[in-house]
Amino acid sequence: MNFIVFLLLVLFPFNVFAACSSPSGQASQTRYDFTANKLYYCNDADWVEMGGGGGGGAGVPTDVKLTTSSNNGNFGGFAGMKSFIEANGCAGYQICSADALFKHLENGGVNLSERGWVTPDAVHSRGSCAGWTSSAGGGNYGSYWLGGGYSGVYNVTCSISMKVACCKFD
């Protein structure tokens, strides 16, 4: 078994630039802890529990909106995605997960006016355009929230340009 893992690492090398550890993760990435039954996001240094105080429950954003500009799936990685969000009307926000948007609607929140990129989560894993580094068509896909009069997460080729769904958790 160890030989197979070693062989895979040698044949398919990859770089890991983890901003969070235990487990490793990138800025704006989310993860679900099935033992604690909690959703977390990486804030560049640590895993932070989503939701909490005054917002109506864990994982429920206190505000949801779209960036002011659009981009295809290549943001230059997770850190680039965070920079794009900060520079385009969502300072203090993070990229929404589909789960956070569903919880926002379940708690009386208003749906987004149009579609926007979202990060995959433990429940709605669709893709992140190869870690937000791909604008290729074909086999690369990213997750997006439909918005408008509809709700739901879908996947689309990374060459499509759209805004980013931003969530704020106080």
Side-chain angles (χ1 to χ4, degrees):
M1 178 69 171
N2 288 339
F3 176 74
I4 293 171
V5 172
F6 173 76
L7 189 59
L8 288 172
L9 290 174
V10 170
L11 293 176
F12 303 102
F14 58 94
N15 293 325
V16 177
F17 301 100
C20 292
S21 59
S22 269
S24 62
Q26 299 292 322
S28 300
Q29 185 176 351
T30 59
R31 72 174 178 86
Y32 188 79
D33 184 331
F34 288 95
T35 304
N37 293 318
K38 294 182 180 179
L39 189 62
Y40 296 86
Y41 73 94
C42 177
N43 71 353
D44 276 332
D46 298 304
W47 288 104
V48 178
E49 182 181 348
M50 295 171 68
V60 179
T62 57
D63 191 31
V64 170
K65 62 183 180 176
L66 291 164
T67 55
T68 54
S69 297
S70 299
N71 201 64
N72 61 36
N74 187 351
F75 292 88
F78 287 99
M81 170 63 88
K82 181 178 180 190
S83 296
F84 181 85
I85 289 170
E86 295 281 328
N88 288 281
C90 290
Y93 288 65
Q94 67 185 53
I95 183 172
C96 292
S97 68
D99 185 58
L101 288 170
F102 279 121
K103 288 181 179 180
H104 175 71
L105 293 176
E106 290 168 358
N107 284 275
V110 176
N111 198 8
L112 296 172
S113 60
E114 60 185 278
R115 69 183 182 173
W117 292 113
V118 296
T119 191
D121 57 38
V123 179
H124 310 94
S125 182
R126 297 281 183 168
S128 64
C129 294
W132 304 117
T133 62
S134 175
S135 60
N140 279 324
Y141 292 97
S143 299
Y144 76 96
W145 183 262
L146 188 55
Y150 306 95
S151 59
V153 62
Y154 302 90
N155 58 347
V156 68
T157 181
C158 299
S159 61
I160 302 296
S161 184
M162 68 181 87
K163 296 178 180 179
V164 178
C166 304
C167 285
K168 184 171 187 171
F169 299 89
D170 290 332

